[in-house]
Amino acid sequence: MITLTKEDGPADLDGVTHLSIGVSWDPTAGSSGGVLGKLRRKTGTDLDLIAVAMQGGDPVRLAGLDSLDPMGNGSLLHSGDNQTGHGDGDDETVTVEFARLPSAITSVVFVAAAYKKGSSFQKARNISFKVYDATGGSTQQVADIWPSLLSQDNGCAVAKAVRVNGSWKLEVINETGKVKQGDEHALMRFAVSK
């Protein structure tokens, strides 16, 4: 297993028919101890993993938030919304089945965001993104992507799967930015800019 970085350049996905990206995080109480700290850890924080399917420079479908199968054919599936970060393993996952994506889809951008008002990256700890090869029905982790924890931003463009001459490549973006909370169009504009 490797840690992917932007500097690595695009990775060929030859032989990968199903790709999954997962995000996990631990809730934190910040500097609060005592009862207030316990309460904050118990309620957790809500980060969201979103996949934006692109047709050229235009976002055409969004997997995440309340849209679990935006293509309607299982080619782009979201695992569902985890609103606390509690539990082991990935808190949210998006799986892409490349062969079933419509041919008009040229890329899929994976974004993590503190989308809902009151949520923030600063209320989460140990944020990590995992890349899985889910080809053949079994899921094997092949890489990690670790974002910087120093950002004051609430959005992170994690990676982008890009169609190149009929095959797919995965490139790490790992860029943060501000996304207006609760604004789906702002989220899509953020994905388009990456």
Side-chain angles (χ1 to χ4, degrees):
M1 188 172 49
I2 59 170
T3 299
L4 290 175
T5 66
K6 282 194 284 191
E7 294 73 32
D8 296 329
D12 283 322
L13 295 176
D14 295 335
V16 177
T17 61
H18 294 66
L19 176 80
S20 291
I21 303 261
V23 62
S24 63
W25 67 96
D26 298 327
T28 178
S31 60
S32 300
V35 174
L36 192 54
K38 282 184 180 179
L39 181 62
R40 285 191 177 143
R41 274 190 297 276
K42 186 173 182 175
T43 58
T45 193
D46 186 7
L47 301 185
D48 293 291
L49 181 64
I50 296 115
V52 181
M54 307 284 292
Q55 183 176 318
D58 290 325
V60 293
R61 292 289 185 274
L62 182 143
L65 305 175
D66 59 355
S67 178
L68 303 183
D69 184 7
M71 298 294 184
N73 68 354
S75 62
L76 187 61
L77 290 175
H78 194 282
S79 63
D81 189 16
N82 179 321
Q83 298 184 4
T84 65
H86 288 292
D88 294 331
D90 294 317
D91 295 307
E92 295 189 15
T93 306
V94 174
T95 301
V96 181
E97 185 178 348
F98 293 117
R100 295 177 77 181
L101 278 176
S103 59
I105 301 302
T106 55
S107 64
V108 179
V109 180
F110 300 92
V111 174
Y115 179 72
K116 293 182 184 82
K117 290 185 171 137
S119 59
S120 90
F121 281 173
Q122 288 74 42
K123 293 180 184 173
R125 182 175 285 145
N126 301 327
I127 301 168
S128 69
F129 303 102
K130 293 178 177 55
V131 181
Y132 300 95
D133 179 351
T135 302
S138 64
T139 302
Q140 175 183 352
Q141 183 180 350
V142 293
D144 282 309
I145 302 170
W146 294 341
S148 170
L149 298 178
L150 293 176
S151 173
Q152 295 296 309
D153 294 329
N154 67 339
C156 179
V158 179
K160 182 194 303 193
V162 182
R163 192 190 300 258
V164 180
N165 299 327
S167 62
W168 288 85
K169 295 183 182 291
L170 181 70
E171 62 183 81
V172 173
I173 302 170
N174 200 7
E175 288 180 19
T176 62
K178 297 269 187 225
V179 176
K180 183 178 179 188
Q181 289 185 319
D183 185 338
E184 203 168 287
H185 286 116
L187 193 62
M188 287 188 275
R189 283 192 299 274
F190 179 69
V192 167
S193 72
K194 307 305 176 201

